[in-house]
Amino acid sequence: MSQALTLARPYARAAFSLARDAGTLPAWSQALAFAARVAADPQVAAVLGHPKLSAADAVALLAPDGAGEAFGNFLGLLFDNRRLSLLPEIAGLYDELRFEAERVVKAKVTSAAALPAAELETIKAALRRRFGRDVEVEAAIDESLIGGAVIDAGDVVIDGSIKGKLGRLEAALSH
């Protein structure tokens, strides 16, 4: 486990606790994702590390419109503890906690070409049956797969791509 994840975990848990108690899990998820994207930008990272930057300016830069006072206070705490660079890890860990609490599995479906919405819904339904939970599907394209798809749902990876099948065939033939 990386040091960044270790450092980010208590902040993610605190954010999750605040959001759960306020009943604003999705809003915090969106606000953290926004702040993480902004903080990950190299130009913004340079500004966030500047010694003359105030907490209020950092919060104004990172908080999306309408994020709420609690979220601003959370960003202020991260600023005070010099942990704003951990926002991408905090956002990821927060989403894991949120999906676990909401009993949602997040799956990424990578295919060689864009999949029709009906096909994504079929995959989503099959994953829902397999895991016994709601499934949130994210679609991605990787032309190197040639055809088929790779489904990554946490600890489960299903490789139905032509590239994967060719790789397994090559391995079988070389033994």
Side-chain angles (χ1 to χ4, degrees):
M1 182 178 312
S2 78
Q3 183 180 5
L5 286 176
T6 301
L7 293 171
R9 182 163 279 111
Y11 293 102
R13 287 183 180 146
F16 176 77
S17 180
L18 288 168
R20 182 190 57 219
D21 292 349
T24 56
L25 289 173
W28 270 72
S29 188
Q30 291 171 346
L32 281 169
F34 175 83
R37 281 191 308 274
V38 173
D41 182 273
Q43 291 177 323
V44 173
V47 170
L48 292 176
H50 196 280
K52 291 189 178 182
L53 182 73
S54 71
D57 290 337
V59 170
L61 180 64
L62 295 171
D65 292 338
E69 183 181 348
F71 187 75
N73 291 341
F74 178 75
L75 290 177
L77 175 72
L78 292 177
F79 176 86
D80 291 342
N81 293 329
R82 300 178 190 264
R83 298 291 191 234
L84 288 173
S85 63
L86 295 175
L87 274 165
E89 289 83 5
I90 293 169
L93 291 168
Y94 173 90
D95 280 342
E96 287 178 17
L97 292 168
R98 175 184 166 209
F99 291 140
E100 183 64 31
E102 293 176 341
R103 299 204 34 84
V104 174
V105 174
K106 189 169 186 171
K108 183 175 184 179
V109 178
T110 306
S111 58
L115 294 175
E119 198 166 335
L120 282 173
E121 281 303 315
T122 301
I123 292 169
K124 187 175 181 177
L127 291 172
R128 193 177 303 121
R129 283 190 304 275
R130 179 173 181 162
F131 293 114
R133 294 179 168 198
D134 283 335
V135 178
E136 184 177 296
V137 175
E138 173 191 346
I141 297 173
D142 180 356
E143 294 175 357
S144 73
L145 295 179
I146 305 169
V150 176
I151 302 170
D152 183 353
D155 295 340
V156 177
V157 177
I158 304 166
D159 188 349
S161 69
I162 292 176
K163 180 180 180 181
K165 290 177 184 177
L166 288 173
R168 289 189 294 277
L169 179 61
E170 178 184 23
L173 291 175
S174 67
H175 285 90

